[in-house]
């Protein structure tokens, strides 16, 4: 049965907003990632143009991929520089570093003002959202959030970059997340290569955090940590913060929509970012389907936040409830905001609900 026009419109809006809350509000020029080679042969050029016009995948307002492999990103392309002299709003200093040259792991580090020499602070390793497709640690939304979090706790915040799909399908992002964790732990040692982390990073108080797809990454990094461990560190971090986490599955959970068109949009996105190699009920995207995997989460505490109108609100609720039952031996907290949508705190950081959510996260990190 064809999707009714109103439902189709709502579906298109949801898809457009999946990777970033401002995708439908910003008018940006597309940035081609790979370009077609020039050709002096008119016929060949015409054929290439025709091939390029065939769309392989389209997330309106966010990203489009053509059958010739060319990718255009419409959202998450803006960047802001770090603030080596201190952020005007809160004094937090920041810089861009390469944490692991061999693995190509880079990050933006944030240090709160007035930290006494030798004083140790909790370390928040943060992974940005964007459906695994867009954004970087230098995106304005994430730069502001990391700065605010570093000042509020106070903590050393490490906002890590990672390889994006479709050029690097999942699980590339998961590999980068775990490599970033290894690099952060190593850098927190007294002889660590990164001065801020060596001087102020408390390796016994590491918190994995992220929003949306980044929250998914934080979860999976903690699972991998429990399985593999890190030499000289162990197999647990102090805490995990999952902000409006991107989890999904083949079958609806709770009050999730059963509409085929709506669910198909999320099915198709996961298939695209994982190049069809990870199914809809793979443990990476659907922890509910694999409790034996889930119970291996390498953390003592978990905070899950969500919102009434978040696309994944039912998944967040089920995560907080299910992790208690799967055999995991830690503490879980759930914070849900009424009347708000997916990652509302990024585009509306000064609204009352965003301030409250940041306070919840701040309190959790302080207790880790």
């Amino acid at each position: 049965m064809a999707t009714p026009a109103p439902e189709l419109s709502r579906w298109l809006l949801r898809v457009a907003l999946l990777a970033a809350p401002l995708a439908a509000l910003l008018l940006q020029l597309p940035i081609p990632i790979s370009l077609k080679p020039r050709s002096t042969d008119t016929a060949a050029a015409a054929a290439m143009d025709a091939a390029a016009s065939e769309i392989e995948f389209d997330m309106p307002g966010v990203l489009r991929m053509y059958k010739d492999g060319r990718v255009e990103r419409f959202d998450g392309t803006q960047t802001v520089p770090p603030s080596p002299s201190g952020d005007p709003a809160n004094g937090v200093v920041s810089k861009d570093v390469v944490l692991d040259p061999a693995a190509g792991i880079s990050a933006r580090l944030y240090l709160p003002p007035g930290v006494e020499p030798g004083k140790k602070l909790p370390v928040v390793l943060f992974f940005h959202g964007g459906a695994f497709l867009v954004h970087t640690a230098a995106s304005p939304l994430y730069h502001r959030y990391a700065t605010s979090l570093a000042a509020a706790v106070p903590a050393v915040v490490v906002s890590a970059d990672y390889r994006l799909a479709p050029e690097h399908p999942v699980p590339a992002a998961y590999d980068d997340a775990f490599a970033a964790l290894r690099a952060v732990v190593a850098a927190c040692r007294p002889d660590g290569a990164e001065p801020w982390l060596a001087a102020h990073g408390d390796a016994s108080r590491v918190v994995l955090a992220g929003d949306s797809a980044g929250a998914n990454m934080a979860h999976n990094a903690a699972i991998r940590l429990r399985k593999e461990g890190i030499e000289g560190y162990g197999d647990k971090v102090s805490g995990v913060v999952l902000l409006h986490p991107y989890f999904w599955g083949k079958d609806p959970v709770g009050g999730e929509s059963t509409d085929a068109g709506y669910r198909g949009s999320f099915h198709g996105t996961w298939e695209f970012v994982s190049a069809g190699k990870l199914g809809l009920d793979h443990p990476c995207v659907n922890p509910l389907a694999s409790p034996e995997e889930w119970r291996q989460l390498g953390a003592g505490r978990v905070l899950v936040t969500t919102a009434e109108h978040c696309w994944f609100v039912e998944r967040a609720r089920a995560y907080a409830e299910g992790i208690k039952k799967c055999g995991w031996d830690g503490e879980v907290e759930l914070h849900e905001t009424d009347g708000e949508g997916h990652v509302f705190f990024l585009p509306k950081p000064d609204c009352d609900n965003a301030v409250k959510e940041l306070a919840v996260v701040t309190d959790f990190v302080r207790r880790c």
Side-chain angles (χ1 to χ4, degrees):
M1 180 180 295
T3 304
E7 183 65 29
L8 179 59
S9 298
R10 288 193 294 271
W11 170 77
L12 288 172
L13 178 60
R14 288 171 180 133
V15 172
L17 296 177
L18 176 61
L22 298 184
L25 304 179
L26 300 178
L27 180 60
Q28 299 177 359
L29 294 176
I31 298 181
I33 303 303
S34 59
L35 302 175
K36 297 180 298 181
R38 294 184 177 181
S39 174
T40 55
D41 186 309
T42 304
M48 291 167 62
D49 288 339
S53 67
E54 297 183 30
I55 297 174
E56 178 76 20
F57 177 86
D58 190 24
M59 183 180 284
V62 178
L63 177 143
R64 179 180 300 141
M65 181 177 179
Y66 297 91
K67 291 186 181 296
D68 67 352
R70 184 166 54 100
V71 175
E72 292 177 328
R73 286 184 168 86
F74 306 97
D75 187 62
T77 59
Q78 292 184 339
T79 61
V80 293
S83 303
S85 300
D87 187 273
N90 49 38
V92 172
V93 293
S94 53
K95 63 180 178 180
D96 294 331
V97 301
V98 178
L99 291 173
D100 185 341
I105 304 299
S106 61
R108 180 163 291 185
L109 268 58
Y110 299 83
L111 186 69
V115 182
E116 298 176 1
K119 180 177 177 58
K120 294 293 186 178
L121 300 173
V123 178
V124 179
L125 175 54
F126 186 88
F127 306 111
H128 67 80
F132 298 98
L133 295 168
V134 295
H135 281 292
T136 69
S139 295
L141 292 175
Y142 291 106
H143 177 75
R144 176 163 180 168
Y145 184 81
T147 299
S148 299
L149 183 60
V153 175
V156 181
V157 174
V158 182
S159 185
D161 277 315
Y162 55 89
R163 288 171 293 172
L164 300 174
E167 296 89 345
H168 305 283
V170 171
Y174 298 145
D175 292 337
D176 290 352
F178 195 67
L181 176 58
R182 282 198 305 258
V184 165
V185 168
C188 287
R189 295 167 183 158
D191 60 348
E194 206 306 300
W196 288 3
L197 287 169
H200 302 292
D202 186 347
S204 70
R205 301 180 66 196
V206 174
V207 175
L208 293 169
D211 75 294
S212 195
N216 176 299
M217 293 171 60
H219 161 85
N220 280 291
I223 293 287
R224 185 167 173 179
L225 176 62
R226 189 65 173 269
K227 289 180 176 180
E228 300 181 12
I230 295 176
E231 186 176 357
Y233 177 73
D235 61 2
K236 280 188 177 183
V237 290
S238 294
V240 174
V241 177
L242 308 179
L243 305 174
H244 301 212
Y246 172 15
F247 294 122
W248 198 242
K250 181 178 180 181
D251 299 320
V253 168
E256 276 182 353
S257 173
T258 58
D259 178 77
Y262 176 78
R263 298 195 67 77
S265 67
F266 293 102
H267 292 355
T269 298
W270 177 249
E271 181 178 5
F272 179 67
V273 301
S274 65
K277 295 180 180 179
L278 305 180
L280 292 169
D281 287 328
H282 190 280
C284 287
V285 73
N286 187 9
L288 304 176
S290 302
E292 68 285 349
E293 179 103 347
W294 198 4
R295 69 172 61 101
Q296 297 188 63
L297 189 81
R301 291 176 175 170
V302 173
L303 169 65
V304 183
T305 76
T306 188
E308 181 182 4
H309 303 305
C310 176
W311 309 299
F312 311 117
V313 61
E314 296 290 353
R315 298 281 162 176
R317 293 168 179 165
Y319 187 104
E321 182 63 28
I323 198 170
K324 299 176 185 177
K325 300 177 180 179
C326 74
W328 177 67
D329 58 355
E331 301 175 10
V332 62
E333 301 174 31
L334 175 66
H335 174 77
E336 183 173 334
T337 303
D338 295 334
E340 299 285 4
H342 187 59
V343 296
F344 71 91
F345 52 86
L346 291 176
K348 302 189 297 181
D350 297 321
C351 75
D352 289 345
N353 284 333
V355 172
K356 291 177 183 177
E357 176 141 336
L358 180 61
V360 169
V361 175
T362 296
D363 177 67
F364 178 84
V365 174
R366 286 174 179 171
R367 289 183 285 113
C368 285

